Coordinates of all heavy atoms in Angstrom, one line a residue:
W403 N 2.7 32.2 28.0 CA 3.0 33.2 27.0 C 1.9 34.2 26.8 O 0.7 33.9 26.7 CB 3.3 32.6 25.6 CG 4.6 31.7 25.6 CD1 4.7 30.4 25.9 CD2 5.9 32.2 25.2 NE1 6.0 30.0 25.8 CE2 6.7 31.0 25.3 CE3 6.4 33.4 24.7 CZ2 8.1 31.1 25.0 CZ3 7.7 33.4 24.4 CH2 8.6 32.3 24.5
F404 N 2.3 35.5 26.8 CA 1.4 36.6 26.5 C 1.8 37.3 25.3 O 2.9 38.0 25.3 CB 1.3 37.6 27.7 CG 0.7 37.0 29.0 CD1 1.4 36.0 29.7 CD2 -0.6 37.3 29.4 CE1 0.8 35.5 30.9 CE2 -1.1 36.8 30.5 CZ -0.4 35.8 31.2
L405 N 1.0 37.3 24.2 CA 1.4 37.8 22.9 C 0.4 39.0 22.6 O -0.8 38.8 22.6 CB 1.3 36.8 21.8 CG 2.0 35.4 22.1 CD1 1.7 34.4 21.0 CD2 3.5 35.6 22.4
A406 N 0.9 40.1 22.3 CA 0.1 41.3 22.0 C -0.1 41.4 20.5 O 0.9 41.5 19.8 CB 0.8 42.6 22.6
R407 N -1.3 41.5 20.1 CA -1.6 41.7 18.7 C -1.8 43.2 18.4 O -2.6 43.9 19.1 CB -2.9 41.0 18.3 CG -3.2 41.3 16.8 CD -4.5 40.5 16.3 NE -5.7 41.0 16.9 CZ -6.4 42.0 16.5 NH1 -5.9 42.8 15.5 NH2 -7.5 42.4 17.1
P408 N -1.1 43.8 17.5 CA -1.2 45.2 17.2 C -2.5 45.6 16.7 O -3.2 44.8 16.0 CB 0.0 45.5 16.2 CG 0.2 44.2 15.6 CD -0.1 43.1 16.6
R409 N -3.0 46.8 17.0 CA -4.3 47.3 16.7 C -4.4 47.5 15.2 O -3.5 48.1 14.6 CB -4.6 48.6 17.4 CG -6.0 49.1 17.2 CD -6.2 50.4 18.0 NE -5.9 50.3 19.4 CZ -6.7 49.8 20.3 NH1 -7.9 49.4 20.0 NH2 -6.3 49.7 21.5
G410 N -5.5 47.1 14.6 CA -5.7 47.3 13.2 C -5.2 46.3 12.2 O -5.7 46.2 11.1
Y411 N -4.3 45.4 12.7 CA -3.8 44.3 11.8 C -4.6 43.1 11.9 O -4.3 42.2 12.7 CB -2.3 44.0 12.2 CG -1.4 45.1 11.8 CD1 -1.1 46.2 12.6 CD2 -0.7 45.1 10.6 CE1 -0.3 47.2 12.3 CE2 0.2 46.1 10.2 CZ 0.4 47.2 11.1 OH 1.3 48.2 10.7
L412 N -5.7 43.1 11.2 CA -6.7 42.0 11.3 C -6.1 40.7 10.7 O -6.6 39.6 11.1 CB -8.0 42.4 10.5 CG -8.7 43.7 11.0 CD1 -10.0 43.9 10.3 CD2 -8.9 43.6 12.5
Q413 N -5.2 40.8 9.9 CA -4.6 39.5 9.3 C -3.8 38.7 10.4 O -3.6 37.5 10.2 CB -3.6 39.9 8.2 CG -3.2 38.7 7.3 CD -2.3 39.1 6.2 OE1 -2.1 40.3 5.9 NE2 -1.9 38.2 5.4
L414 N -3.5 39.4 11.5 CA -2.8 38.7 12.6 C -3.7 38.0 13.6 O -3.2 37.5 14.6 CB -1.8 39.6 13.3 CG -0.9 40.5 12.4 CD1 0.0 41.3 13.3 CD2 -0.1 39.5 11.5
R415 N -5.0 38.1 13.4 CA -5.9 37.5 14.3 C -5.8 36.0 14.3 O -5.5 35.4 13.3 CB -7.4 37.9 14.0 CG -7.6 39.4 14.2 CD -9.1 39.8 13.9 NE -9.4 39.5 12.5 CZ -10.6 39.7 11.9 NH1 -11.6 40.1 12.7 NH2 -10.8 39.4 10.7
G416 N -6.1 35.4 15.4 CA -6.3 33.9 15.5 C -5.0 33.2 16.0 O -4.1 33.7 16.6
T417 N -5.0 31.9 15.6 CA -4.0 31.0 16.2 C -2.6 31.1 15.6 O -1.7 30.5 16.1 CB -4.5 29.5 15.9 OG1 -4.7 29.3 14.5 CG2 -5.8 29.3 16.7
F418 N -2.4 31.9 14.5 CA -1.1 32.0 13.9 C -0.3 33.2 14.3 O 0.7 33.5 13.7 CB -1.3 32.0 12.4 CG -2.0 30.9 11.8 CD1 -3.3 31.1 11.2 CD2 -1.5 29.6 11.8 CE1 -4.0 30.0 10.7 CE2 -2.2 28.5 11.3 CZ -3.5 28.7 10.7
L419 N -0.7 33.8 15.4 CA 0.0 35.0 15.9 C 1.4 34.7 16.3 O 2.3 35.5 16.0 CB -0.8 35.6 17.1 CG -0.2 37.0 17.6 CD1 -0.4 38.0 16.5 CD2 -1.0 37.4 18.8
S420 N 1.7 33.6 16.9 CA 3.1 33.2 17.2 C 4.0 33.0 16.0 O 5.2 33.3 16.1 CB 3.1 32.0 18.1 OG 2.5 30.9 17.4

Side-chain angles (χ1 to χ4, degrees):
W403 291 85
F404 291 75
L405 313 176
R407 179 178 69 80
R409 186 183 306 277
Y411 288 86
L412 302 183
Q413 193 176 356
L414 307 185
R415 293 180 299 177
T417 58
F418 304 114
L419 186 63
S420 60

